[in-house]
């Protein structure tokens, strides 16, 4: 009995040790991803840890693959970054032919009144002046003008309540599962001092004091779709300065708040440090008392384009947070460019994959960790995909794939290839199982192999002879058919 008890104790101890080792391995895997401060250290930036983002994410802009994140599912108020969604709907409406970049929008007295509200970001808008869409878009994106955003939104849908519903419907369509939009610009409706909607529109259903809510992951999904569907937005957000209504009495010049955009000539005023990061060419900043300082940024080097989002940097009471968000975003981008690459993994044309000859119809490229090459998978539906451990940030983003056609082999060639394959396998088997040092056995193998070779040659000759006879018969039948037609 005592010996049995010792066995039981020993068995239990073994299980406990095994469980401990397994749990340590699981924890090690969970900690494999570096922290935000690890990225800061790698990029050699100096920051205060208490200023770090409440949530952040990095994805690949080509494929939507998730590359890194920290609290990426935490809800947050993106502030003025939500203006990007309004501009998305503007581009969407133009694509459907509702209006175009040259469409003129006349400013009303209400618009001028909104422009004069000091508490929210704006630019100069004058009653009776007509502004083309192509001038209002940079006003909304660069100085983050609330009035310009509202003028564009009303061009898409005059009813402010219906426009908000359009925004929420689009968010759902794109896969933003944890997003709720209650205003079109990022500024609370109450801050518009009763001017948010046109006169006569029932606004009783609106949440006038509420803030928009999303997550870093959701907004990365949105940004992926924005750049994919309307890359022209980068034309406005890639420059350190933008001039609107140039050559008119209403000309204005704006400096971007996205200090990660390289600025060799140092055009920014009062910027605390140089935050320019190679390759950055958009998108937008946003800040508010409840959301602190946020940045949605994209950068491209070579074929790799990245999207980084930081939400909740610093504290609203300290306005230097306007600068503090950039080292964090830059460090995330630096990590992406250091550890990932976008490369061609399967070339167009005839390929042999898993001993199967196929004709690949288009090149297949994907983002991968540097020095890693995922396995190529041939699917029954005539597509090629990759066994890539990096997955899309949303299930609505499809993994990369390309189509292929099966290569039809010449029957004689197929016989030769098949025979070669089986002969090689047979030789390998014989090497492992037969003592070829014995001269009698070696001679027998040579004789057997020669017989197989002769049989192979005979089969090939028979196939080709049969094919020639068949072609001759077909030619004779065609000649006879033409003769019969002439006689008729």
């Amino acid at each position: 009995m005592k010996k049995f008890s010792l066995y039981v104790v020993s068995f239990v101890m073994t299980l406990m040790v095994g469980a401990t080792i397994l749990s340590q391995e699981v924890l090690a895997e969970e900690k494999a991803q570096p922290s935000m401060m690890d990225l800061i250290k790698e990029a050699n930036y100096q920051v205060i840890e208490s200023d770090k983002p409440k949530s952040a994410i990095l994805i690949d802009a080509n494929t939507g693959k998730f590359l890194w994140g920290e609290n990426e599912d935490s809800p947050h108020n993106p502030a003025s970054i939500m203006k990007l969604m309004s501009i998305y709907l503007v581009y969407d409406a133009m694509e459907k032919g509702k209006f175009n970049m040259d469409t003129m929008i006349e400013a009303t007295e209400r618009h001028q009144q909104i422009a004069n509200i000091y508490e929210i970001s704006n630019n100069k808008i004058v009653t009776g002046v007509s502004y083309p869409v192509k001038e209002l878009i940079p006003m909304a994106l660069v100085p983050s003008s609330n009035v310009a955003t509202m003028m564009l939104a009303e061009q898409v849908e005059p009813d402010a309540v219906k426009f908000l519903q359009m925004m929420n419907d689009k968010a759902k369509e794109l896969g933003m599962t944890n997003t709720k939009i209650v205003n079109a610009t990022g500024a609370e409706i109450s801050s518009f001092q009763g001017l948010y909607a046109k006169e006569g529109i029932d606004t009783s259903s609106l949440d006038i004091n509420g803030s928009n809510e999303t997550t870093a992951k959701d907004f990365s999904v949105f940004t992926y779709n924005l750049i994919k569907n309307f890359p022209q937005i980068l034309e406005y957000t890639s420059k350190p300065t933008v001039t609107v209504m140039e050559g008119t009495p209403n000309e204005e010049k704006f400096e971007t708040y996205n200090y990660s955009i390289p600025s060799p000539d140092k055009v920014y005023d009062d910027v605390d440090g140089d935050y320019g990061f190679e390759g950055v060419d958009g998108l937008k900043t946003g800040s508010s008392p409840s959301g602190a300082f946020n940045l949605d940024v994209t950068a491209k080097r070579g074929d790799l384009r990245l999207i980084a989002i930081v939400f909740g940097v610093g504290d609203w009471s300290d306005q230097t947070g306007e600068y503090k968000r950039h080292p964090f975003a830059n460090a995330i981008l630096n990590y992406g460019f250091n550890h990932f690459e976008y490369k061609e993994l399967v070339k167009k044309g005839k390929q042999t994959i898993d001993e199967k000859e196929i004709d690949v119809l288009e090149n297949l490229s994907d983002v991968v960790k540097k020095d890693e090459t995922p396995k190529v998978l041939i699917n029954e539906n005539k597509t090629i995909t990759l066994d890539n451990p990096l997955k899309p940030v949303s299930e609505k983003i499809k993994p990369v794939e390309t189509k292929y056609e099966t290569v039809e082999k010449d029957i004689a060639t197929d016989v030769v290839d098949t025979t070669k394959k089986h002969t090689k396998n047979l030789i390998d088997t014989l090497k492992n199982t037969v003592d070829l040092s014995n001269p009698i056995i070696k001679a027998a193998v040579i004789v057997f192999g020669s017989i197989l070779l002769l049989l192979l040659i005979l089969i090939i000759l028979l196939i080709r002879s049969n094919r020639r006879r068949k072609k001759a018969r077909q030619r004779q039948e065609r000649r006879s058919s033409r003769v019969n037609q002439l006689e008729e």
Side-chain angles (χ1 to χ4, degrees), residues 428-471:
D428 290 340
T429 303
L430 287 172
K431 283 180 179 178
N432 295 327
T433 58
V434 178
D435 182 14
L436 293 178
S437 62
N438 188 314
I440 297 174
I441 295 175
K442 189 174 183 179
V445 169
I446 292 171
V447 171
F448 180 68
S450 300
I451 293 171
L452 279 179
L453 181 61
L454 289 171
L455 285 172
L456 173 61
I457 293 170
L458 180 60
I459 291 169
I460 292 171
L461 290 174
L462 286 172
I463 290 171
R464 289 179 174 171
S465 176
N466 183 61
R467 179 168 292 176
R468 282 196 295 270
R469 286 198 298 271
K470 185 177 179 180
K471 287 182 178 178

Side-chain angles (χ1 to χ4, degrees), residues 4 379 479:
F4 176 74
N379 308 305
R479 281 197 294 269

Side-chain angles (χ1 to χ4, degrees), residues 14-78:
T14 302
L15 285 178
M16 290 175 66
V17 171
T20 302
I21 293 171
L22 183 61
S23 64
Q24 288 175 344
E25 289 178 351
V26 170
L27 286 172
E29 287 183 6
E30 289 178 351
K31 292 181 180 179
Q33 178 183 264
S35 69
M36 181 73 255
M37 296 310 293
D38 290 333
L39 270 53
I40 285 289
K41 186 177 180 181
E42 181 181 336
N44 199 29
Y45 282 110
Q46 300 298 316
V47 301
I48 301 172
E49 187 168 358
S50 59
D51 287 330
K52 74 177 183 179
K54 301 294 187 298
S55 61
I57 196 170
L58 173 71
I59 71 168
D60 170 54
N62 290 307
T63 64
K65 295 287 196 320
F66 175 89
L67 305 181
W68 177 89
E70 192 167 272
N71 303 320
E72 65 272 8
D73 289 311
S74 296
H76 194 80
N77 172 16

